[in-house]
Amino acid sequence: MQAVPDPLVRFARAHLRNPPRYAVYRTAGSTPDAWWSATEIAQHAGLDIADIDRALRGFAAAGILHERVSPGGRLCRWRDELRYVLDGTSPPAELIDPICGMPVNADSAYTGHDATGATVHFCSRWCQAAHRNRLRRR
């Protein structure tokens, strides 16, 4: 049995906490070059369109999915620079989100401090909140 790569495990633990998020990940990740609408993913997964739309918006806001508006509505697809999550390879040697292991831009709006007071950057508000919760439990 093949072990699940660490980036994928970390990503799943941080971002796939409910069925709509998992459905978005599974659908967008299975065909990362395809553009998907909330309707298509909801039909594919048998879930509510509004729940899928919220998950898509969250993934787009987190920088996990590209988002574009077309005449038929909003479409999303997997970001090319995050393919390593799907491939199971290591992330690029950039700033790395300490929660999920994704690369983060230095100008990310999601920041915080570690236990030593150093600034850390996060890919999303989800990881930023998870980091705050970890620090509170210490």
Side-chain angles (χ1 to χ4, degrees):
M1 184 163 101
Q2 184 178 0
V4 176
D6 182 58
L8 184 56
V9 170
R10 291 181 70 195
F11 179 88
R13 286 182 183 151
H15 296 289
L16 306 181
R17 298 187 178 225
N18 62 41
R21 284 188 192 175
Y22 182 74
V24 166
Y25 163 76
R26 199 168 111 186
T27 303
S30 68
T31 52
D33 294 323
W35 291 91
W36 293 91
S37 70
T39 302
E40 291 169 319
I41 295 174
Q43 289 172 347
H44 182 72
L47 296 171
D48 182 70
I49 293 171
D51 292 339
I52 294 295
D53 188 59
R54 274 190 295 281
L56 278 172
R57 287 177 188 270
F59 274 82
I64 297 165
L65 299 176
H66 284 292
E67 186 176 43
R68 75 173 188 201
V69 178
S70 72
R74 195 167 30 81
L75 300 171
C76 295
R77 78 173 179 100
W78 200 264
R79 293 183 70 83
D80 291 336
E81 61 270 27
L82 301 179
R83 289 280 177 105
Y84 76 87
V85 171
L86 305 173
D87 299 339
T89 57
S90 295
E94 301 172 63
L95 292 170
I96 303 298
D97 183 309
I99 300 299
C100 72
M102 290 176 52
V104 180
N105 293 331
D107 61 353
S108 171
Y110 307 106
T111 62
H113 295 89
D114 65 13
T116 67
T119 300
V120 290
H121 300 268
F122 304 96
C123 70
S124 68
R125 61 182 159 74
W126 300 330
C127 286
Q128 184 184 42
H131 177 74
R132 285 184 190 141
N133 288 336
R134 283 185 183 176
L135 289 177
R136 282 187 206 131
R137 288 191 294 234
R138 289 183 179 175

